[in-house]
């Protein structure tokens, strides 16, 4: 992926919001209906509980409204809505159109499906719109994976859940916060993680795990090289929240201590497109960036996709 050319109009986050499914499901709850247990799920994944419920448009409207409120912007001033999701309410139309109407927006709206890398894909696309003259883009990552999970399959049911995270991205007169980015995909790996239309998620967990660590590290290193920074410069890493052991292995290989990782999966489970914005924006006691920090966002997902970005937190 190319470096960001000089003199491109930059952007920064001015508001954000999050939403979780209303029903809390613990590992013990799952153990009542399938052959699993709290100890196994905590040790092998890091997940303690997850939140389930709501549709993709409902959760998106909650997080999106909170983001606009924090930014102090009127719905009429949003120039575009990008919704990252792999679980749209309907096949047609895009769920972004439903959310556009729920939020009272009067702008273009489109869905991005890059699975768990979706929020970073959408973030890079939103910067492209701002470079083309848009002033304000509402960016939402939402997934309701409970709807496409087989609740009798312990290989997947212990992992997936519902959630949403949103941000208002506004043009800035300065350089903006995005210093480097990378988007990747390898469609030859499609069969290890997929859901047919109308079907549930099918996954070869071990193979996904193995590849996930490799492609996260590879994408993060590309973004750091494009930004001209090294692992030592990163203050906070915000990884896709799939498995604490994947996060730990990726941090280890990148040379970034786990103490710098924003981790919320113990509370949220794997919420796919919502996972990175929840880890960045939710108030769940995780490591959070401060003014001036360099933040590395890095996701991987079905496809297999990978995406990363380096942000200078609070940059003008
Ligand atoms: O957004 C991307 C989505 N997907 C992922 O990121 C998934 C990546 N993969 C993973 O996170 C892990 O591979 C899993 C959590 C899915 C599985 O963990 P693992 O350490 O790879 O376990 P395993 O499949 O090697 O299974 C180890 C043992 C097996 O028993 P035996 O053969 O050793 O007796 C499994 O049958 O654990 C058993 N097992 C379970 N036991 C209790 C598998 N799932 C469960 C379970 N509860 N839920």
């Amino acid at each position: 992926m190319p470096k960001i050319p000089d003199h491109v109009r930059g952007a920064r986050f001015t508001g954000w919001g999050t939403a979780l499914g209303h029903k809390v499901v613990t590992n013990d709850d799952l153990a009542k209906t399938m052959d699993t247990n709290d100890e196994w799920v905590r040790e092998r994944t890091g997940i303690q509980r997850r939140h389930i419920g709501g549709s993709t448009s409902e959760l998106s409207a909650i997080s999106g409204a909170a983001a606009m409120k924090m930014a102090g912007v009127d719905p009429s001033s949003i120039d575009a809505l990008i919704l990252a999701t792999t679980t749209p309410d309907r096949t047609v139309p895009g769920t972004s159109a439903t959310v556009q109407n729920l939020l009272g927006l009067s702008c273009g709206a489109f869905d991005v499906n890059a699975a768990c890398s979706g929020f970073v894909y959408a973030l890079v696309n939103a910067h492209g719109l701002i470079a083309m003259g848009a002033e304000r883009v509402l960016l939402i990552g939402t997934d309701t994976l409970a709807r496409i999970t087989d609740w009798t399959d312990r290989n997947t049911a212990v992992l997936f859940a519902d959630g949403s995270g949103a941000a208002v991205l506004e043009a800035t007169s300065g350089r903006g916060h995005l210093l480097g980015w990378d988007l990747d995909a390898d469609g030859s790996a499609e069969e290890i993680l997929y859901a047919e239309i109308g079907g549930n998620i099918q996954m070869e967990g071990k193979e996904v795990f193995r590849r996930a660590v490799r492609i996260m590290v590879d994408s993060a290193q590309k973004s750091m090289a494009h930004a001209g920074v090294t692992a030592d410069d990163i203050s906070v890493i915000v990884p896709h929240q799939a498995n604490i052991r994947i996060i730990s292995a990726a941090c280890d290989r990148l040379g970034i201590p786990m103490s710098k990782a924003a981790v919320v999966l113990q509370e949220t489970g794997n919420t796919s497109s919502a996972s990175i914005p929840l880890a960045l924006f939710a108030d769940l006691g995780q490591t959070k960036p401060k003014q001036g920090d360099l933040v590395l966002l890095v996701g991987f997902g079905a496809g297999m996709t990978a995406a990363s970005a380096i942000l200078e937190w609070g940059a003008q």
Side-chain angles (χ1 to χ4, degrees):
M1 281 293 168
K3 289 171 83 160
I4 300 169
D6 292 337
H7 313 304
V8 161
R9 197 157 95 120
R12 67 190 180 103
F13 293 135
T14 55
W16 46 86
T18 59
L20 290 169
H22 53 81
K23 185 177 175 203
V24 177
V25 178
T26 65
N27 296 337
D28 284 334
D29 291 332
L30 293 179
K32 288 175 195 155
T33 57
M34 67 186 74
D35 182 16
T36 190
N37 59 78
D38 179 54
E39 191 188 356
W40 191 95
V41 182
R42 277 180 196 245
E43 277 181 10
R44 307 304 292 171
T45 73
I47 298 167
Q48 298 177 18
R49 61 189 76 81
R50 70 282 292 144
H51 296 241
I52 285 172
S55 67
T56 292
S57 61
E58 285 164 355
L59 295 178
S60 300
I62 296 168
S63 66
M68 287 192 292
K69 187 173 176 203
M70 179 176 165
V73 298
D74 191 81
S76 63
S77 73
I78 300 290
D79 294 320
L81 165 65
I82 309 180
L83 173 62
T85 189
T86 197
T87 46
D89 288 3
R90 292 171 158 171
T91 304
V92 175
T95 304
S96 49
T98 310
V99 177
Q100 186 246 28
N101 183 45
L102 286 171
L103 290 174
L105 310 182
S106 49
C107 59
F110 61 98
D111 290 13
V112 166
N113 179 354
C116 311
S117 308
F119 188 81
V120 180
Y121 263 74
L123 178 70
V124 173
N125 276 281
H127 278 84
L129 289 172
I130 284 176
M132 289 293 101
E135 288 296 327
R136 238 162 257 108
V137 179
L138 179 59
L139 185 63
I140 308 180
T142 305
D143 266 306
T144 47
L145 295 174
R147 290 189 298 116
I148 59 164
T149 298
D150 176 354
W151 290 98
T152 64
D153 174 13
R154 71 176 184 173
N155 292 313
T156 52
V158 299
L159 303 175
F160 299 121
D162 303 339
S164 177
V168 174
L169 189 72
E170 295 201 53
T172 172
S173 52
R175 181 182 55 167
H177 65 183
L178 183 64
L179 307 186
W181 58 277
D182 173 67
L183 304 180
D184 286 313
D186 175 7
S188 71
E190 180 174 343
E191 298 303 324
I192 64 172
L193 181 56
Y194 67 91
E196 298 291 357
I197 291 176
N200 291 321
I201 299 173
Q202 309 294 322
M203 184 180 76
E204 289 176 33
K206 269 200 180 312
E207 185 58 16
V208 173
F209 191 122
R210 201 176 62 76
R211 288 176 184 245
V213 176
R214 179 157 43 84
I215 65 179
M216 279 173 91
V217 170
D218 181 57
S219 183
Q221 284 172 339
K222 287 179 189 161
S223 278
M224 289 193 288
H226 292 163
V229 305
T230 68
D232 289 342
D233 300 319
I234 301 298
S235 301
V236 179
I237 174 170
V238 185
H240 170 45
Q241 309 284 304
N243 187 318
I244 195 71
R245 293 186 293 131
I246 293 176
I247 296 174
S248 171
C251 282
D252 198 41
R253 290 194 197 175
L254 284 167
I256 298 175
M258 267 300 272
S259 57
K260 292 185 173 178
V263 176
V264 296
L265 57 74
Q266 69 282 1
E267 181 65 37
T268 62
N270 180 347
T271 58
S272 192
S273 308
S275 139
I276 286 178
L278 281 172
L280 187 56
F281 300 129
D283 198 7
L284 294 170
Q286 72 277 40
T287 300
K288 287 283 196 78
K290 304 181 301 297
Q291 181 79 20
D293 277 353
L294 288 193
V295 181
L296 165 61
L297 313 183
V298 58
F300 71 91
M304 284 186 78
T305 59
S308 58
I310 308 288
L311 303 179
E312 183 183 347
W313 201 250
Q316 294 298 310

